[in-house]
């Protein structure tokens, strides 16, 4: 039986990384909840975060509630690093969750219908094709894992009862990967 995106059968490595990022985004949100539970309580954090629909709204609410408490505990810089990394992951997740896939010359390409539709009514709607390959997608997936490590660091580094829960090292900085292989 063919999958929902039969094209991915021709690009199994790429499909593997894309699928892991799309499915893994929920893990990032859950760890964001765990960080929020440090400043609230676990049940309230769960209700506040997951009763809100949409990734951006969740991130804004979490930031409004977490930024000051984390900064007051000496975690301002890693918190801001995590927030930037989380936003990058959110953009990547949304880009892949709302795109369509196309093959060209044995290269996996994606395009976004919303971008084409948003052109001026007097312009012809055009799809911009963006190539991706397994090495780039592997870097992007590694950045999701880095973001998860930042969240876990912040979750564990937040002082509970005057002491750190675990001695965990802040992950080494990782540069944000490109969104695609198309020259800018």
């Amino acid at each position: 039986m063919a999958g929902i995106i039969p094209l991915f059968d021709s690009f199994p490595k790429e499909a593997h990384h894309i699928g892991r990022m799309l499915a893994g985004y929920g893990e990032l949100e859950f760890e964001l909840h765990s960080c929020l539970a440090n400043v609230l309580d676990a049940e309230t954090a769960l209700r506040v975060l997951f009763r809100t629909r949409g990734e951006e709204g969740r991130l804004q609410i979490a930031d409004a509630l977490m930024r000051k408490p984390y900064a007051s505990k000496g975690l301002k810089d890693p918190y801001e690093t995590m927030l930037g990394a989380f936003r990058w992951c959110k953009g990547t997740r949304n880009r892949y969750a709302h795109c369509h896939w196309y093959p060209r010359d044995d290269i996996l390409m994606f395009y976004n219908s919303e971008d084409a539709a948003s052109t001026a009514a007097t312009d012809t709607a055009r799809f911009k094709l963006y190539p991706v390959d397994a090495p780039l997608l592997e870097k992007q997936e590694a950045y999701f894992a880095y973001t998860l490590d930042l969240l876990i660091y912040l979750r564990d580094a937040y002082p509970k009862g005057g002491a750190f829960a675990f001695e965990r090292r802040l992950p080494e900085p990782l540069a944000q990967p490109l969104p695609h292989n198309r020259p800018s």
Side-chain angles (χ1 to χ4, degrees):
M1 178 169 103
I4 193 164
I5 305 175
L7 171 64
F8 278 4
D9 293 341
S10 300
F11 296 93
K13 291 178 184 174
E14 292 84 347
H16 172 81
H17 295 299
I18 292 163
R20 287 171 56 109
M21 285 185 281
L22 290 173
Y25 185 81
E27 294 300 311
L28 298 181
E29 283 191 326
F30 183 79
E31 286 303 332
L32 183 66
H33 148 266
S34 296
C35 290
L36 182 57
N38 282 333
V39 300
L40 301 174
D41 63 77
E43 185 174 341
T44 303
L46 182 75
R47 292 178 191 278
V48 165
L49 204 59
F50 292 108
R51 282 186 177 177
T52 303
R53 299 297 299 168
E55 300 89 10
E56 184 59 27
R58 288 179 180 159
L59 197 52
Q60 287 180 8
I61 288 169
D63 182 38
L65 294 168
M66 290 169 44
R67 180 179 292 274
K68 191 173 180 179
Y70 273 83
S72 74
K73 303 292 186 185
L75 297 166
K76 178 180 185 262
D77 290 343
Y79 175 82
E80 288 181 352
T81 299
M82 175 280 297
L83 194 62
F86 200 106
R87 284 194 168 112
W88 184 91
C89 291
K90 178 180 69 75
T92 300
R93 179 259 179 214
N94 287 345
R95 182 170 42 257
Y96 294 150
H98 302 290
C99 77
H100 303 279
W101 299 97
Y102 182 81
R104 178 182 275 175
D105 302 325
D106 293 326
I107 297 170
L108 182 62
M109 314 282 275
F110 70 89
Y111 61 90
N112 186 310
S113 298
E114 291 174 354
D115 290 347
S118 67
T119 58
T122 56
D123 294 339
T124 302
R126 297 188 194 278
F127 293 110
K128 289 183 185 174
L129 294 171
Y130 298 98
V132 292
D133 59 18
L136 174 65
L137 293 165
E138 184 175 3
K139 289 177 186 173
Q140 291 177 348
E141 184 183 346
Y143 199 78
F144 272 65
Y146 165 70
T147 304
L148 182 65
D149 287 346
L150 286 168
L151 286 158
I152 291 169
Y153 170 82
L154 287 168
R155 178 198 71 199
D156 293 348
Y158 193 88
K160 297 171 181 78
F164 288 96
F166 298 98
E167 287 300 321
R168 183 180 297 277
R169 292 186 183 268
L170 181 63
E172 291 294 320
L174 187 62
Q176 290 179 351
L178 296 171
H180 49 73
N181 291 335
R182 184 178 182 193
S184 52

